[in-house]
Amino acid sequence: MTFATTDLCDAHEDKLAAGTLRVLAPALRPYGGAARFAGPAATLKLFEDNTLVRAALEEAGGGRVLVVDGGGSLRCALVGGNLGLLAQKNGWAGIVVDGCVRDSAELAACDVGVLALATHPRKSDKRGAGVRDVPVTVLGTRIAPGEWIYADADGVLVSDARLE
């Protein structure tokens, strides 16, 4: 996949002005082995419980990007090395976490994009709480299921539709 978020912004200034193309605040750090990734969003809204993250990544990804609204928690990790391998095995393009990850060396070895706020050594709870396939808010930006995510070293874009 070849694109640059900077070029997409330049080519679609009208969409930026209309709000159909949005840029996430620059607070996410890269942890996965894929530095550039894109695909339609699958969304989760949860807090300090990664049960739904595992369930989603166990499904065929089909090149989608899992967007996890973890409420910005910095008290535990929602994705680790095992889930990174699961995402790679099942064809997910990437994972965007409004929260923390762990096993950063293992994630870096996975051929999947992973962006998160920070690392944290503690694992999350397993209560099965949260919801899937709903609009979420990550870093102040609304993301609906099926919207397109484009991520590279310069940032993360959210588009109402696939960009050519």
Side-chain angles (χ1 to χ4, degrees), residues 44-54 68-71 73 76-79 83 123-131:
L44 299 174
K45 183 174 180 64
L46 47 88
F47 189 74
E48 297 181 357
D49 180 341
N50 77 344
T51 306
L52 289 180
V53 177
R54 174 173 288 284
V68 181
D69 175 356
S73 174
C76 67
L78 296 172
V79 174
L83 293 183
K123 66 181 180 179
S124 75
D125 293 333
K126 309 280 190 272
R127 299 179 313 273
V131 290

Side-chain angles (χ1 to χ4, degrees), residues 29-34 77-85 100-122:
R29 297 176 51 196
Y31 295 99
L78 296 172
V79 174
N82 290 337
L83 293 183
L85 286 172
C100 295
V101 297
R102 67 188 213 158
D103 305 319
S104 57
E106 293 174 28
L107 288 173
C110 295
D111 188 22
V112 64
V114 179
L115 298 172
L117 295 174
T119 57
H120 198 291
R122 182 177 172 216

Side-chain angles (χ1 to χ4, degrees), residues 5-6 8-9 12-26 41 43 67 135-151 154-163:
T5 56
T6 53
L8 291 174
C9 283
H12 299 284
E13 289 182 13
D14 57 329
K15 291 178 181 4
L16 286 166
T20 59
L21 177 62
R22 298 164 312 278
V23 181
L24 289 187
T43 62
V67 178
V136 297
T137 301
V138 173
L139 299 168
T141 298
R142 183 183 183 277
I143 303 170
E147 291 185 318
W148 275 75
I149 307 296
Y150 295 87
D154 289 314
V156 181
L157 305 179
V158 180
S159 177
D160 287 2
R162 184 175 184 166
L163 301 174

